[in-house]
Amino acid sequence: MLIALLLISRKNMDLSTSQKFTLGYATLVGVGGVMGYMKRGSLMSLGAGGVSSALLYYVYTELPNKPAFASSLGVGVSTMLLGSMGYRFLKTKKVFPAGVVALLSLGMTGGYLHGMLKSQH
């Protein structure tokens, strides 16, 4: 999956900054889900990481064509990840992976909100 994302990104070198961040975010979330499965056998991590990564990849592909829609979907996915991983961080106090993903999701939520506001002007 990571290799496919990297190959696709190399084909289109004129990506916007938001697309680059979204592609990186999707990759990290997907790899994190696989790591959670490999380390603890968590099917929930695998499923949540896979679905979130797939949705974020869709956001990445739609940002140039439908920025308001893509940003709205990005807000939804990143907010859900922020809530779940933020809760896990508060519960366990483990910086990795919960704290890192929560902080990254907070930043991405802000970025997507900015994109929504920018696309309305």
Side-chain angles (χ1 to χ4, degrees), residues 27-111:
T27 302
L28 289 173
V29 168
V31 169
V34 171
M35 286 175 48
Y37 175 73
M38 291 175 66
K39 187 174 180 180
R40 296 224 159 97
S42 172
L43 288 174
M44 182 68 94
S45 291
L46 184 62
V51 169
S52 297
S53 182
L55 287 170
L56 289 167
Y57 183 76
Y58 180 69
V59 169
Y60 157 78
T61 63
E62 291 300 313
L63 274 169
N65 307 320
K66 302 176 191 168
F69 169 74
S71 294
S72 298
L73 183 57
V75 165
V77 174
S78 60
T79 300
M80 289 190 335
L81 286 169
L82 172 61
S84 63
M85 296 306 270
Y87 174 76
R88 179 183 281 176
F89 172 71
L90 292 174
K91 188 175 169 185
T92 65
K93 303 293 186 220
K94 291 185 180 179
V95 174
F96 188 80
V100 172
V101 175
L103 187 60
L104 182 61
S105 296
L106 178 64
M108 291 302 292
T109 300

